[in-house]
Amino acid sequence: MNIVNKRDFEQADQAHLLDAIDRWLEREVKPVVKEHDHADTWPAEIVAQMRDMGLFGATVGVEYGGLGLPATTYAEIVMRISAMWMAITGIFNSHLMLALAIEKFGTGQQKKRWLPGLASGDIRGGLALTEPDAGTDLQGIRMTARREGGDYVINGTKTWISNGIEGSCFALLVKTDPEAKPRHKGMSLFIAPKQKGFTVGRKLEKLGYKSIDSAELVFEDYRIPADHLIGEVEGQGFYQATGGLELGRINVAARGVGIAEGALKLATEYAQVRHTFGKPIAEHQAIALKLGEMATRARAARLLTLDAAAAFDRGERCDMEAGMAKFFASEAALENSTESLRIHGAYGYSKEYDIERLYRDAPLTCIGEGTNEMQRLIIAKQWIKRSNNA
Ligand SMILES: Cc1cc2nc3c(=O)[nH]c(=O)nc-3n(C[C@H](O)[C@H](O)[C@H](O)COP(=O)(O)OP(=O)(O)OC[C@H]3O[C@@H](n4cnc5c(N)ncnc54)[C@H](O)[C@@H]3O)c2cc1C
């Protein structure tokens, strides 16, 4: 199936692309989502279709075979898919973070070598930053890379890595100088393909975000050539790993918008067909008030996200805008999915209805790409700085 012809994309407008995504969701995704989600099975056929559509190269430059989409279009795609099944966006979103790190910070040679395979989806992977003892405090990671002649030898463990089992290549954050002060100066980012010394420790079981594999990755005397160091200069890893966070946060915000809108749609439909006391529950004021709040929340989340994406596309610094969008949209996802579940009454608690999936998927958006606790601190820091410069 090839619903978006990459060669024709430049002529196709955003509406055409989004229409194709909508049709694909209805025709291919909707019929299989419940079965995959409940069995927690990796959706091979959906991944193949996303690959045919070019989604693994969505934000990669056209010169490397990607679609080169602006952040606004990318966010719209993620919103639509997440309104039905947020987990599958993680399969290409995490992968695009790896591609972004290479495209933004890699040498010319590294871009030529890795980006075409990543854009086509022949190579799939993700971003491996988190360790058992270090998530928010990334500078506290313990994984080390030791230089030995023309190679680096890497030891340590990563955890919670999306696409860890099905992916074949990861951007791997390590310490090349564990004694460095400040700590970030001793950090480097490597392109790490699966090979001898790199094994999957275990698959992690989760509340939601099913069907995408989250895994522990173990590195034991894993040896790679020095040309796998992104940018080929040590000590840049912390900036390289966090340099994609603006787009990463826009992506998580878009997931939140999708869940908030999806939950609203399900609640709106249900509230008009479920009757109590002789009328649809939508006509009871308590339910109408909920729908009014949910609709406002979803719209505000959408506007904040598109505002951040538009600033990103204009090349402006938008860490505060992306942080606000991520924070607000993920909380909107959590609140709207909870309210929608309540509007569904007992059926909201049933595995036969879709809302239970959105309810289980929503909390991840509050954790990924910087927890919402940290997000508020980042927003405040920027806000104060900009206010003082105004
Ligand atoms: C399903 C899933 C997929 C993931 N995928 C990936 C992936 O692909 N790659 C990857 O590298 N990681 C991934 N992660 C990990 C994720 O990025 C981390 O869980 C996240 O960064 C938080 O780190 P932590 O879990 O170690 O929490 P901690 O850092 O231990 O934080 C615990 C709590 O303390 C709060 N906290 C911490 N420090 C502060 C502070 N200074 N001020 C205020 N509050 C603070 C946090 O907000 C949180 O509420 C994934 C996680 C999940 C659940």
Side-chain angles (χ1 to χ4, degrees):
M1 193 186 69
N2 191 0
I3 62 169
V4 180
N5 183 326
K6 284 189 219 173
R7 276 185 299 272
D8 291 342
F9 178 72
E10 278 178 47
Q11 285 90 52
D13 60 5
Q14 174 174 300
H16 171 73
L17 173 61
L18 296 179
D19 188 49
I21 294 284
D22 284 343
R23 279 185 278 115
W24 168 70
L25 285 167
E26 279 301 314
R27 197 172 55 219
E28 307 289 342
V29 180
K30 199 174 184 177
V32 300
V33 52
K34 262 200 208 98
E35 196 180 328
H36 274 306
D37 175 72
H38 291 163
D40 197 8
T41 43
W42 194 72
E45 72 284 14
I46 298 292
V47 174
Q49 290 157 9
M50 294 198 298
R51 184 179 156 164
D52 285 348
M53 287 191 280
L55 292 182
F56 288 98
T59 52
V60 178
V62 284
E63 63 273 38
Y64 301 110
L67 294 178
L69 296 180
T72 37
T73 309
Y74 172 52
E76 286 276 7
I77 292 173
V78 174
M79 287 175 193
R80 277 157 201 257
I81 301 177
S82 300
M84 188 172 289
W85 194 11
M86 187 272 275
I88 55 172
T89 69
I91 299 176
F92 62 89
N93 289 155
S94 306
H95 166 93
L96 287 171
M97 292 295 108
L98 157 68
L100 183 67
I102 298 174
E103 191 164 4
K104 205 166 166 184
F105 303 108
T107 62
Q109 198 53 36
Q110 287 170 338
K111 292 180 205 182
K112 248 188 265 166
R113 174 169 175 194
W114 296 99
L115 289 176
L118 289 166
S120 67
D122 287 343
I123 308 170
R124 281 182 291 96
L127 198 57
L129 315 178
T130 305
E131 295 187 1
D133 290 321
T136 304
D137 183 13
L138 261 190
Q139 296 185 44
I141 61 166
R142 294 194 187 156
M143 180 173 277
T144 56
R146 191 181 68 247
R147 182 88 193 227
E148 275 189 15
D151 295 336
Y152 281 92
V153 178
I154 296 179
N155 282 286
T157 302
K158 294 289 177 188
T159 193
W160 285 113
I161 308 309
S162 304
N163 297 326
I165 298 169
E166 298 292 340
S168 62
C169 185
F170 295 83
L172 186 66
L173 188 66
V174 304
K175 288 263 172 93
T176 36
D177 179 3
E179 309 304 325
K181 296 266 178 331
R183 296 178 297 168
H184 66 80
K185 288 203 166 160
M187 299 173 82
S188 301
L189 194 65
F190 283 88
I191 304 164
K194 274 187 183 160
Q195 59 181 47
K196 190 166 169 275
F198 177 166
T199 51
V200 175
R202 66 190 171 108
K203 178 184 170 190
L204 302 172
E205 300 296 334
K206 295 164 294 191
L207 168 71
Y209 202 48
K210 304 279 187 180
S211 297
I212 170 168
D213 42 318
S214 306
E216 198 172 81
L217 306 179
V218 180
F219 295 80
E220 286 171 307
D221 291 331
Y222 170 75
R223 182 180 286 273
I224 40 172
D227 66 5
H228 285 46
L229 171 62
I230 295 180
E232 295 197 22
V233 181
E234 287 184 15
Q236 305 296 312
F238 183 73
Y239 291 113
Q240 293 171 348
T242 55
L245 280 186
E246 285 180 347
L247 191 59
R249 285 184 185 142
I250 290 167
N251 145 41
V252 176
R255 296 188 198 193
V257 173
I259 295 176
E261 291 183 345
L264 171 64
K265 180 169 178 275
L266 294 173
T268 309
E269 287 164 3
Y270 187 80
Q272 290 174 87
V273 296
R274 178 71 175 176
H275 287 68
T276 66
F277 302 96
K279 57 183 177 184
I281 58 170
E283 291 178 21
H284 295 303
Q285 198 177 48
I287 300 297
L289 290 174
K290 280 186 195 292
L291 291 174
E293 283 174 19
M294 289 165 70
T296 308
R297 229 180 260 129
R299 182 151 174 77
R302 167 174 278 273
L303 294 176
L304 272 177
T305 304
L306 291 178
D307 176 62
F312 184 89
D313 288 337
R314 289 192 300 271
E316 293 170 11
R317 178 174 180 169
C318 61
D319 49 352
M320 186 178 82
E321 290 76 5
M324 286 174 167
K326 190 272 176 188
F327 165 53
F328 189 87
S330 55
E331 296 290 342
L334 205 58
E335 288 175 65
N336 275 16
S337 58
T338 306
E339 289 295 66
S340 183
L341 183 129
R342 294 173 72 155
I343 289 171
H344 280 76
Y347 294 105
Y349 211 59
S350 161
K351 290 182 100 173
E352 287 175 29
Y353 281 69
D354 287 308
I355 186 57
E356 61 92 29
R357 180 178 64 258
L358 277 66
Y359 177 78
R360 285 184 287 104
D361 285 352
L364 175 64
T365 60
C366 300
I367 301 168
E369 293 289 341
T371 63
N372 280 2
E373 289 72 21
M374 293 309 292
Q375 220 59 246
R376 276 171 283 182
L377 297 177
I378 294 164
I379 294 165
K381 200 170 161 189
Q382 263 302 308
W383 176 254
I384 293 164
K385 199 168 159 193
R386 292 193 200 182
S387 302
N388 289 342
N389 291 341

